[in-house]
Amino acid sequence: MIINNIHTFTQRKESSSLTDKPLLFIRRPDIDAATRLKLGIAGLGPCYRDYTIADLELRYNVSHTFIYTQSKILREGFERLYGSPQNEELSVLEEVLRCMRFFIEGKVETRSALHGLSNFGSSLGVKYSSTNFISEVLTIAGSVVDSTHRSARPLLVTFLCDEIYSGGQAILVTIEAQSMAVLDIRLAEGNLSSADWEASLERMSDNNVRPEAVIKDQGKAMQAAMAKLPEGTLIGADTFHGLSFRLGRYRSQLERKVNTCQEQEVGRATCFIKAKSYEFALKIEGEWEAAKYETLQALDRLEWFDQYYFKMIQQLRPFTSQGIPRDKAKATSIIRECIEALSLLELPKLQKHLTHIETLLDNGQLLHYMDKCTELHEELQDVLEPQTSWLWMLYWQHHKKTYQSRSPKVQQNAKQQALAAQELLQEYYQQKAPNTNTFESLKEQVFTTLDQIVQASSLVETFNSILKPFINSSRGQVSQELLNLVKFYHNHRIFKRGKRKNKAPIELLTGKNLEQSWIDLLMDKIKAAFIQHDTHSVKELLQGLSPKKEIQQQQANRLKTHENSRRLA
């Protein structure tokens, strides 16, 4: 069955009077072409009229939507009417660029497979819509942008590093901690080694991007590459993966064990009640007593674990309940005591994780942020009053927990605590200076300052959640060009919600506002590449860009070979 028309309630767009196609609807003879032109000019802006839109509505008995539609038609057609004449070659290029733009936006916004994009484009009448064309377009889009951020001036920032795997291949990702901008993204060739991370760090250094601190998980290749960092670089462990996540899994196991034992206890009790013979009841009673003993043991283990696990988690918080920076030495001592207490539990492989946590304490990576916390707290004392300083610290800490915690219960409690602190602070500053906006200005300053305290690389996980749909739709055929495209899109897209709302990562990183959308910036680069290679063919442009890609790959391979041979020597 062939469906020729799709029923829709959406009103058809009125065709432009500047095109060769006749108007679809002409219901009023008095609104001729000249009148439409006059209304269109008036709708362009107040400087083009001496009266209001409401006056035009009454005079011509039309709606404001109709007037603005005429203005839109006029804007869309003025370039063709008054622009410079275009030759046939440029017309072909513009058609190719329009198709490229459609599929690049479609791929990035929908994360769909090429086959689906091809079918969608074909149904909409896009001129070039084959999967081969789309594949070449995405390769070109990724080839004209870099995998590493280039800075015109030296940039000293905090790196958040992580690895994500696709079909056995490692993808190395480095994020800037405050802006969430991707600084470097690279598809590792072959088995991941420390040389891959060393090459990534060297690329960023060559592009004027250097680390003040590096927050990471405990991957072996990444850990080995940290020796190549400049002297004085702070190396910190991700506190979530280093402690909370490692021990949290055991807490979940103990909770499941308690639930299982309780279910068995209830089951034995039910069987005992329903027993119809003395011998069977005696047997079930023994099993019931054994089940109750197992439940008590499971509850004891969970209670013991919870006591010291949550005590350790509490020591990771930058500020105490009095709103002062936590003492690093005291927090270290308490965590060591908790590790010693938890080691008494006979749980499989628990001692291995406790030893790992103790190692992070010994090398200073677990509580790396506490020195920074004290430094920033002292800095804020110059702008905060002593009677409110402690409350500001707690306000920031609880607010941070509302979006960092994965537990709905913890989030709800943190929201209540943050709201209580906010109301107290608002009431205080309202009474002190009723006609000023002191609270909001101080909040921005305090939060911006304290956000420099980085405990975990959770922002990398957020970016990984953006990247994974692209990996899944590529069916294991991830290319470096696709990664470059995703990096460019992410860095130049505007956040729609959250504390970075209405800003792009690259704007937050550089402090410069974007004048164009990400797709306009990318299409300008692609158009420049067509002009540089003097072609309007996608295939020819791709061939022209390939040598550059091959040279870069050869350089990367030579660097990796050199590092491997030096290590063996």
Side-chain angles (χ1 to χ4, degrees):
M1 179 176 66
I2 300 176
I3 300 177
N4 295 320
N5 295 305
I6 301 177
H7 178 69
T8 177
F9 290 101
T10 304
Q11 188 176 13
R12 290 188 179 182
K13 180 181 176 181
E14 187 173 20
S15 298
S16 172
S17 59
L18 301 175
T19 62
D20 297 331
K21 297 181 180 179
L23 294 175
L24 294 178
F25 305 103
I26 301 178
R27 296 193 178 99
R28 293 177 53 186
D30 58 311
I31 305 181
D32 53 13
T35 304
R36 287 171 179 264
L37 177 60
K38 180 179 179 180
L39 293 174
I41 294 173
L44 291 175
C47 60
Y48 295 101
R49 59 177 183 264
D50 299 327
Y51 29 76
T52 65
I53 296 297
D55 293 336
L56 289 175
E57 291 178 17
L58 292 174
R59 185 183 306 175
Y60 294 98
N61 193 23
V62 295
S63 66
H64 67 279
T65 304
F66 178 83
I67 296 173
Y68 289 134
T69 300
Q70 309 313 306
S71 302
K72 182 178 179 182
I73 293 171
L74 191 60
R75 281 194 296 268
E76 290 175 350
F78 83 94
E79 182 65 32
R80 185 173 61 82
L81 285 173
Y82 302 110
S84 57
Q86 298 177 342
N87 56 32
E88 186 64 25
E89 181 104 355
L90 188 58
S91 298
V92 172
L93 177 58
E94 293 298 332
E95 182 67 32
V96 170
L97 289 172
R98 278 196 292 269
C99 295
M100 293 181 73
R101 182 185 180 113
F102 174 82
F103 287 116
I104 292 172
E105 278 194 290
K107 175 64 178 179
V108 169
E109 298 294 352
T110 66
R111 283 85 159 164
S112 56
L114 301 189
H115 184 70
L117 282 174
S118 175
N119 291 340
F120 184 59
S122 179
S123 66
L124 293 179
V126 178
K127 187 172 183 180
Y128 308 104
S129 59
S130 67
T131 54
N132 184 59
F133 174 81
I134 301 174
S135 177
E136 291 176 343
V137 165
L138 297 177
T139 302
I140 289 173
S143 298
V144 298
V145 295
D146 298 320
S147 60
T148 305
H149 173 70
R150 295 183 179 182
S151 178
R153 56 181 178 82
L155 199 62
L156 191 65
V157 293
T158 299
F159 287 4
L160 306 180
C161 302
D162 198 11
E163 303 154 1
I164 184 172
Y165 285 85
S166 169
Q169 281 187 296
I171 300 172
L172 282 56
V173 180
T174 302
I175 301 285
E176 197 276 318
Q178 302 304 323
S179 64
M180 198 182 167
V182 181
L183 301 175
D184 185 71
I185 187 167
R186 180 67 57 170
L187 182 66
E189 297 292 336
N191 295 328
L192 179 64
S193 68
S194 61
D196 293 304
W197 273 112
E198 290 172 12
S200 176
L201 295 171
E202 185 172 347
R203 280 193 303 272
M204 287 185 282
S205 178
D206 292 341
N207 286 281
N208 272 342
V209 182
R210 296 178 178 84
E212 177 184 26
V214 177
I215 313 301
K216 59 179 184 58
D217 60 19
Q218 301 304 305
K220 293 182 179 179
M222 191 189 305
Q223 185 73 16
M226 293 300 105
K228 297 296 180 182
L229 288 171
E231 187 177 354
T233 304
L234 175 66
I235 302 175
D238 183 319
T239 55
F240 173 73
H241 289 98
L243 192 152
S244 307
F245 179 70
R246 284 176 179 271
L247 299 185
R249 291 182 297 179
Y250 284 93
R251 186 179 186 280
S252 298
Q253 291 178 13
L254 292 174
E255 279 188 317
R256 288 195 296 269
K257 181 65 175 176
V258 168
N259 292 335
T260 301
C261 290
Q262 288 176 338
E263 289 174 0
Q264 290 177 348
E265 181 183 344
V266 172
R268 293 300 86 191
T270 303
C271 289
F272 178 79
I273 294 172
K274 294 181 178 180
K276 295 184 178 179
S277 66
Y278 177 77
E279 293 79 4
F280 182 70
L282 192 62
K283 176 185 175 183
I284 294 299
E285 185 181 14
E287 295 178 357
W288 185 14
E289 291 297 326
K292 287 192 286 187
Y293 180 72
E294 285 291 328
T295 300
L296 289 175
Q297 279 192 319
L299 286 170
D300 285 343
R301 283 194 295 268
L302 179 60
E303 184 180 352
W304 181 271
F305 189 91
D306 279 354
Q307 178 183 352
Y308 295 102
Y309 171 67
F310 288 112
K311 195 173 182 179
M312 293 171 75
I313 296 297
Q314 189 178 34
Q315 301 310 306
L316 298 179
R317 296 172 185 168
F319 298 99
T320 66
S321 57
Q322 287 77 38
I324 59 176
R326 193 173 298 278
D327 183 79
K328 187 176 181 180
K330 186 177 180 181
T332 302
S333 176
I334 292 175
I335 292 177
R336 290 189 189 279
E337 293 174 3
C338 294
I339 290 175
E340 186 177 350
L342 289 178
S343 63
L344 300 176
L345 291 174
E346 296 180 358
L347 295 175
K349 299 183 180 181
L350 175 60
Q351 188 57 49
K352 173 184 174 182
H353 295 291
L354 294 176
T355 302
H356 177 79
I357 295 171
E358 197 164 15
T359 302
L360 294 180
L361 276 177
D362 293 337
N363 59 27
Q365 292 186 14
L366 184 63
L367 303 179
H368 60 89
Y369 55 91
M370 287 195 173
D371 294 332
K372 185 76 170 179
C373 178
T374 303
E375 176 187 335
L376 296 175
H377 179 264
E378 292 177 357
E379 178 184 326
L380 286 172
Q381 299 316 298
D382 296 334
V383 296
L384 298 177
E385 300 175 26
Q387 60 267 35
T388 61
S389 175
W390 66 276
L391 190 56
W392 277 111
M393 304 303 118
L394 292 181
Y395 179 28
W396 172 82
Q397 185 164 271
H398 289 304
H399 176 76
K400 185 178 180 181
K401 198 187 302 183
T402 60
Y403 59 83
Q404 280 195 335
S405 176
R406 298 184 179 184
S407 168
K409 185 177 179 180
V410 173
Q411 284 183 352
Q412 183 63 28
N413 180 63
K415 286 179 181 178
Q416 293 175 354
Q417 299 286 350
L419 182 61
Q422 176 183 318
E423 290 175 348
L424 287 173
L425 289 168
Q426 284 177 329
E427 182 180 355
Y428 174 81
Y429 289 107
Q430 182 65 27
Q431 291 177 354
K432 185 177 180 181
N435 299 322
T436 61
N437 200 17
T438 308
F439 170 77
E440 291 298 333
S441 59
L442 279 177
K443 177 184 176 182
E444 183 178 358
Q445 185 174 357
V446 171
F447 277 40
T448 302
T449 301
L450 295 180
D451 280 343
Q452 298 178 51
I453 302 172
V454 183
Q455 297 179 250
S457 57
S458 52
L459 282 182
V460 182
E461 303 295 337
T462 303
F463 176 74
N464 289 349
S465 66
I466 297 171
L467 183 60
K468 281 181 180 179
F470 291 97
I471 295 175
N472 296 336
S473 65
S474 63
R475 299 180 182 179
Q477 300 297 319
V478 179
S479 65
Q480 182 62 49
E481 290 78 14
L482 178 61
L483 298 179
N484 294 351
L485 176 59
V486 176
K487 167 187 170 290
F488 184 86
Y489 160 72
H490 170 76
N491 282 356
H492 294 81
R493 71 188 178 104
I494 305 296
F495 287 114
K496 297 181 179 179
R497 59 184 66 87
K499 67 179 183 179
R500 300 176 183 85
K501 184 178 179 181
N502 298 326
K503 285 288 185 179
I506 201 69
E507 291 179 315
L508 297 170
L509 180 65
T510 63
K512 298 179 181 178
N513 293 331
L514 291 175
E515 297 181 356
Q516 293 177 285
S517 66
W518 72 269
I519 186 62
D520 289 332
L521 290 169
L522 182 57
M523 293 309 300
D524 286 347
K525 291 178 179 290
I526 294 174
K527 186 173 182 178
F530 273 111
I531 295 173
Q532 179 184 352
H533 290 82
D534 192 24
T535 181
H536 60 267
S537 168
V538 169
K539 189 177 294 295
E540 290 178 5
L541 178 59
L542 187 59
Q543 291 172 352
L545 294 172
S546 295
K548 177 182 176 182
K549 174 188 171 185
E550 292 173 0
I551 292 172
Q552 291 174 343
Q553 186 60 52
Q554 290 172 4
Q555 291 174 345
N557 291 338
R558 281 198 299 270
L559 178 62
K560 190 171 182 179
T561 303
H562 171 71
E563 293 295 336
N564 290 334
S565 59
R566 184 177 58 80
R567 192 178 297 104
L568 291 174

